[in-house]
């Protein structure tokens, strides 16, 4: 037997892989046969309304369309013989006309059968019953009572005992709903003490006197008929012990009806259920209701636990004040023991309920499914169900038990499974599976349809599917065929089947793409194959961009009357047509012209309070939508408070209440209470107090003798409301002053008077009429009585004839017609001051360093100050400098020190100078006498930088430096220190050489320098205190016309066309800010030079900051131009590129530390960029260039010799001819054909050519037209064009040329000089 079951299980598993459920789509393939299938039937329990016709549904489909028949109570129901029963056409539904027959005549068990030539399907049993409620209704109509006839007596109970009022409603199908009400149809109040049980009775855990009433009425509502019936009212009278005895004694022979002892408090006991345990059975899926009602005094509290597990909190609830535990959708896990507990202060009681969960049959995996098989195929019908207890399963074929059905060799029944093997045509049938146990049954039809059909695809061809990107896409391929076709999907070129990620193929042929992307768009082919053929269908998928709201509307708070705009900017697929819709509070927008809808916004103008709400923009396309919402809150200043009322009126207080106005969506933050005093200041409102916005009353403290009128203002985020209407006037009675004047002071305006002043009281502070002031004073140090005067309408009083600067005690007291104010406090003051009569003595000075001195003095005795000591003043001034070169005169300076000082520092002194000073004491009146004037000398200090440093007489290997002494010597100059070092083409500094120079030297010549090398020089002066800051300069050791021109422009000395200095490389120091303006800086030796790429800025840096950069900006630039930054990347020089020619720039260095540290700046340089960069590459040391220059020089020498010979012979040359032709000569270029100069201006033919022999006196007369080739080489204005031609003027030669030039050798010009001249051109 076990082996047989294993074989069956293996066969079932095999058949599951070979066959699947398939139903013939009769609406699409009408020609295909199919056994009947029940599509509609009435419920198993069919409760009918006897007032209406009975309709018993039964519909089915099949091919051919099935015919119908019925059984009633297990026998054939002949419809044709009953004139009251009609079957609807093309349906098995029965309609019973009860107008001629009672409905109860048709009660019974009905079953419908639908059959065609391929099989028979049957419905489940339909039990027809009419509701008991209708019997009750019929009885009511006949006047018969519903509740059993009983005489309900009045119930008299002792207070504190328990009580049960029974309901006992008539039975109903379904059961009625019970509730208790009074004569006014109001539900009776229930609580943890009084509650209704599941059977409808009303339970009292203990009764109270207030439970007495005569209208306890139980109502029953029958849901099927929607009728309500009531029981006779019940009267309950609750009496305490004394009242009961007094009432009933006469009826019981003067004896007590009840015990004399009152009802004691008692521990709980259960009214229901009884005993310590009970059991309850519930069906799976239904509702489990358990109740525990206890009596006791005090009223017990009920609690629940599950002993065998946890309570199902998601499916449970407590009813009737936790007396009822309700669990819905019961499952097997809800079985077990539940315990309810009742507890009060005297004890507790418990009851255990054992719950068993049974189950009527239910499907496992669903009801059996239809089979469509081809001849020769295998298949399986499965009827899997479960229940408690385990149900039994029976099979039928075409409504006949399968044991009695015709034999079929291809069919094998194994309990809940029918296995079909090698099925053949003619085996089509409908099989019924019936599953039943003690609690119910399940019945299902499933047909086996044997067909032989080629595959067909039912999805329309060329259908276009559209889906949003990143959404799930499903492409249908509805198919039919027998055997069941196999579905294969292809895309576009059909290179491979679509299986595996990202494609999922379902059993129904649908192809799913879990997350569609743009690449998934295209043509898809669905191919259905079986042994009888193949069918292909083409569909298309289009993946669209999603609709997204890029900018959502935002929450708005708008004041009434203004406009608001909600933006809703959307992005969507361009091929989809969008539709924008706006909603307000999930409804349509109001039809109002103030609401303007644009393509991407909603504008509301002149906003009103009714516009407040939630606005939603919805962008719809045919495929998707997106929405976003924002709330509009319309706010406004609050309405003014109303209904001001004064209560609790007392002499000096009153209670003010009011009603707040509408706050207009902005909570009221506070209320401001103001008052108007019509007695003292009519028409002026003053703030009295404020109270929080949550209060509507204020206790106001008032002053006497005021006529008050109050008003209230409300404040919210929008501002104050309008004032409320004023309250009625409230007058306070006059009284003596409560306070005296404040700020009482005593001082003198003259040396012999005392002025007493005070702050007068206001009208509100006066407390009554006739306000005046009682002024009192006496001298403090002398035993004397108070002197008193009374003044009115004044705030000061002057006492004359007082001693100078004497302390006084003062009092000012307020007085009015109703009395005097409180005892005033004593104030202190002084009579008038006079000038001090003594000067500080023992004045001394200690010189601390060259810029700081300390002055000491003895304090002046207090009695000689004759006033309030303010302090001491030190007057000091510079008499002269101790150095003859630094004459100086300074105005007097003043340092002030507080009165508790007897010494003070005098900073900012000039070194090596003579100072005078004196000291004075001063008080509130002025200064006292001057102390004797004294003098002191400041020692020497560190000198300033030399005033200038220039380079002169630059030769191939020597340079001469000239300088001027420091302007601020700060002592005797003891010497100078000169440091210099070479600078290569990459601006790297070489080794440093150092020279010590004497104090009287102002120039030095440095020999043995490197040829054509740039040097950097540093010069500083020294005193006995040390060396001062250095001045720096740069120069090169060759004559370079281009460099000279750039340097001249850089330092700003001279303009185009000015006379050229005889020292072309002399460069004054860079323009600097004054030393006094410089802060402490980590930069030193900041200098500049100009190269062809731009100005080169060099410096020394010793600071800790790593972030160092150069800043520059155009000098005197208009507007607020910002500094431009150039990083230096750790080097100590940088070339500023891209600066505009012809402009001057301010340049400085900056070191930046942390964000909370200050910037460090160097001194500023003024750098001028030349308009035309003329500096050339230094090629003078190149061999080829030297050879070329030698050849040119030789040719020029020969030319000059020839010209000299012709000149001495007296011959004329074209220059003279040009001169004769032009009266106002202009310079012309040299003629290339005869090597002569055009237009050589010479007024006398006998003047010698420069370079010829001189006259006997050894001089050569020079005038404006005297010139030579050497002059052109040294001139600052002449230059060559790019083609080599010479341009410029012969006039304007340097007027500073040494007269020694006239004593040159009388020999002809040497080739070397000529070559040097040409070098300068290059």
């Amino acid at each position: 037997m076990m082996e047989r079951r294993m074989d069956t299980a293996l066969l079932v598993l095999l058949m599951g892989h070979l066959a699947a459920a398939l139903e013939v789509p009769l609406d699409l393939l009408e020609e295909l046969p199919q056994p009947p299938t029940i599509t509609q039937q009435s419920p198993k329990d069919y409760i009918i309304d006897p007032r209406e016709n009975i309709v018993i549904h039964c519909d089915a489909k099949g091919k051919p369309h099935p015919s119908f028949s019925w059984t009633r109570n297990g026998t054939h129901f002949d419809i044709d013989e009953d004139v009251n029963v009609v079957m609807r056409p093309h349906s098995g539904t029965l309609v019973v006309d009860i107008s001629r027959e009672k409905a109860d005549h048709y009660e019974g068990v009905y079953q419908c059968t639908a059959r065609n030539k391929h099989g028979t399907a049957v419905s489940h049993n339909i039990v027809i019953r009419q509701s008991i409620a209708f019997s009750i209704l019929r009885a009511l109509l006949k006047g018969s009572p519903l509740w059993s006839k009983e005489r309900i007596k009045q119930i008299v109970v002792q207070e504190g005992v328990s009580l049960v009022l029974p309901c006992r409603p008539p039975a109903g199908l379904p059961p009625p709903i019970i509730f208790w009400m009074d004569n006014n149809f109001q539900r009776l109040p229930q609580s943890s003490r009084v509650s209704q049980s599941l059977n409808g009775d009303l339970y009292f855990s203990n009764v109270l006197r207030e439970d007495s009433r005569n209208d306890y009425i139980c109502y029953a509502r029958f849901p099927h008929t929607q009728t309500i019936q009531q029981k006779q009212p019940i009267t309950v009278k609750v009496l305490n012990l004394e009242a009961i005895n007094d009432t009933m004694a006469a009826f019981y022979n003067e004896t007590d009806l009840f015990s004399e002892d009152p009802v004691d408090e008692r521990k709980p006991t259960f009214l229901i259920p009884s005993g310590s345990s009970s059991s309850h059975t519930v069906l799976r899926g239904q509702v489990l209701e358990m109740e525990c009602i206890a009596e006791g005094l005090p009223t017990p509290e009920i609690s629940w636990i599950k002993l065998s597990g946890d309570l199902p909190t998601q499916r449970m609830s407590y009813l009737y004040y936790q007396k009822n535990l309700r669990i819905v959708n019961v499952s097997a896990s809800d079985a077990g023991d539940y315990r309810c507990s009742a507890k009060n202060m005297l004890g507790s009681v418990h009851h255990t309920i054992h719950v068993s969960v049974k189950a009527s049959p239910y499907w496992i995996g669903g009801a059996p499914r239809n089979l469509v098989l081809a001849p020769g195929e295998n298949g399986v019908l499965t009827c899997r169900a479960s229940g408690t207890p385990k149900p039994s399963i029976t099979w039928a074929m075409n409504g006949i038990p399968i044991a009695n059905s015709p034999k079929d060799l291809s069919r094998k029944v194994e309990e809940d499974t029918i296995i079909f093997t090698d099925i053949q045509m003619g085996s089509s049938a409908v099989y019924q599976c019936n599953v039943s146990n003690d609690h119910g049954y399940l019945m299902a039809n499933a047909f086996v349809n044997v067909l032989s059909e080629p595959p067909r695809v039912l999805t329309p061809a060329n259908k276009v599917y559209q889906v949003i990107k990143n959404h799930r896409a499903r492409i249908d391929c509805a198919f039919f065929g027998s055997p069941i076709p196999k579905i294969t999907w292809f895309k576009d070129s059909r290179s491979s089947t679509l299986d595996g990620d990202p494609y999922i193929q379902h059993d129904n042929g649908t192809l799913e793409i879990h997350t569609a992307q743009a690449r998934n768009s295209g043509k898809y082919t669905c191919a259905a194959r079986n042994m009888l053929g193949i069918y292909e269908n083409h569909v298309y998928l289009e993946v669209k961009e999603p609709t997204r709201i890029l900018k959502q509307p935002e929450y708005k708070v708008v004041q009434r009357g203004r406009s608001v705009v909600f933006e809703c900017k959307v992005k969507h697929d361009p091929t989809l047509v969008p539709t924008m819709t706006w909603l307000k509070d999930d409804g349509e927008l109001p039809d109002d012209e103030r609401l303007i809808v644009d393509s991407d916004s909603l504008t509301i103008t002149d906003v009103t309070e009714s516009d407040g709400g939630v606005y939603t923009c919805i962008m719809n396309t045919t495929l998707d939508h997106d929405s976003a919402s924002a709330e509009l809150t319309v706010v406004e200043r609050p309405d003014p408070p109303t209904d001001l009322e004064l209560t609790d009126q007392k002499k000096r207080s009153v209670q003010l209440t009011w009603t707040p106005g509408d706050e207009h969506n902005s909570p009221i933050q506070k209320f401001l209470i103001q008052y108007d005093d019509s007695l003292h200041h009519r028409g002026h409102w003053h703030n009295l107090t404020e109270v929080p916005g949550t209060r509507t009353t204020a206790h106001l403290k008032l002053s006497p003798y005021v006529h008050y009128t109050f008003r209230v203002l409300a404040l919210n985020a929008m501002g104050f409301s309008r004032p409320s209407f004023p309250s009625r006037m409230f007058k306070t009675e006059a009284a003596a002053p409560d306070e005296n004047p404040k700020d009482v002071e005593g001082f003198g305006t003259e040396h012999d008077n005392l002025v007493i002043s005070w702050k007068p009281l206001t009208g509100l502070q006066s407390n009554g009429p006739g306000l005046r002031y009682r002024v009192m004073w006496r001298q403090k140090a002398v035993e004397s009585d108070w002197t008193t005067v009374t003044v009115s309408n004044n705030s000061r009083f002057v006492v004359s004839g007082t001693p100078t600067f004497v302390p006084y005690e003062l009092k000012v007291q307020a007085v009015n017609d109703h009395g005097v104010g409180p005892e005033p406090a004593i104030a202190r003051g002084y009579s008038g001051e006079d000038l001090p009569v003594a000067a500080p003595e023992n004045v001394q000075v200690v010189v601390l360093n060259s810029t700081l001195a300390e002055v000491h003095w003895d304090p002046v005795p207090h009695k000689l100050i004759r006033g309030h000591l303010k302090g001491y003043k030190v007057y000091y001034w510079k008499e002269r400098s101790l150095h003859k070169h630094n004459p100086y005169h300074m105005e007097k300076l003043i340092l002030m020190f507080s009165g508790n000082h007897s010494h003070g520092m005098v900073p900012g002194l000039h070194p090596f100078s003579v100072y005078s000073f004196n000291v004075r004491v001063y008080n509130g009146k002025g200064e006292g006498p001057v102390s004797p004037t004294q003098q002191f000398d400041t020692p020497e200090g560190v000198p300033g930088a030399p005033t200038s440093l220039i380079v002169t007489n630059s030769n191939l290997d020597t340079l001469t430096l000239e300088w001027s002494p420091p302007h601020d010597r700060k002592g005797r100059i003891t010497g100078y220190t000169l440091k210099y070092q070479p600078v290569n083409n990459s601006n790297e500094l070489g080794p440093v050489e150092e020279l010590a120079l004497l104090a009287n030297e102002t120039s030095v010549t440095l020999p043995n320098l490197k040829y054509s090398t740039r040097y950097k020089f540093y010069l500083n002066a020294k005193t006995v205190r040390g060396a001062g800051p250095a001045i720096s300069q740069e120069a090169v050791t060759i004559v370079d016309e281009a460099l000279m021109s750039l340097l001249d422009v850089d330092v700003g000395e001279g303009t185009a066309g000015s006379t050229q200095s005889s020292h072309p490389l002399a460069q004054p120091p860079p323009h600097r800010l004054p030393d006094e303006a410089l802060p402490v800086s980590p930069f030193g030796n900041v200098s500049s030079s100009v190269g062809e790429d731009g100005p080169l800025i060099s410096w020394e840096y010793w600071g800790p900051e790593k972030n160092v950069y150069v800043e520059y900006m155009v000098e005197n630039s208009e507007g607020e131009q910002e500094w431009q930054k150039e990083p230096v990347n750790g080097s100590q020089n940088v070339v500023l590129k891209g600066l505009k020619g012809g402009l001057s720039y301010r340049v400085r260095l900056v070191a930046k530390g942390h964000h909370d540290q200050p910037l460090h700046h160097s001194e500023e340089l003024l750098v001028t960029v030349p308009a035309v960069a003329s500096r050339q590459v230094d090629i003078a040391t190149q061999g080829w260039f030297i050879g070329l220059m030698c050849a040119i020089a030789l040719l020029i020498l020969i030319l000059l010799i020839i010209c000299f010979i012709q000149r001495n012979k007296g011959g004329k040359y074209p220059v003279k001819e040009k001169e004769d032709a032009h009266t106002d000569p202009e310079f012309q270029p040299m003629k290339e054909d005869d090597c002569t100069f055009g237009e050589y201006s010479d007024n006398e033919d006998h003047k010698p050519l420069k370079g010829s022999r001189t006259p006997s006196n050894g001089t050569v007369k020079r005038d404006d037209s005297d010139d030579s080739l050497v002059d052109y080489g040294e001139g600052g204005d002449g230059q060559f064009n790019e083609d080599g031609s010479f341009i410029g003027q012969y006039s304007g030669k340097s007027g500073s040329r040494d007269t020694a030039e006239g004593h040159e050798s009388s020999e002809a010009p040497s080739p070397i000089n000529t070559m040097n001249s040409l070098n300068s051109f290059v």
Side-chain angles (χ1 to χ4, degrees), residues 85 120 181 335 338-339 372 699 720 774 858 1056 1129 1226 1305:
V85 180
T120 301
M181 294 197 298
Y338 294 79
R339 187 172 74 180
V372 176
H699 184 74
F720 277 104
R774 184 177 297 169
D858 289 342
N1129 299 324
E1226 293 292 339
S1305 171

Side-chain angles (χ1 to χ4, degrees), residues 662-678:
D662 191 342
E663 61 185 20
H664 297 296
N665 297 320
S666 180
I668 295 176
Q669 301 170 357
K670 65 180 180 180
F671 292 100
L672 173 63
I673 302 173
Q674 296 180 329
Y675 72 92
D676 172 53
D677 181 7
S678 59

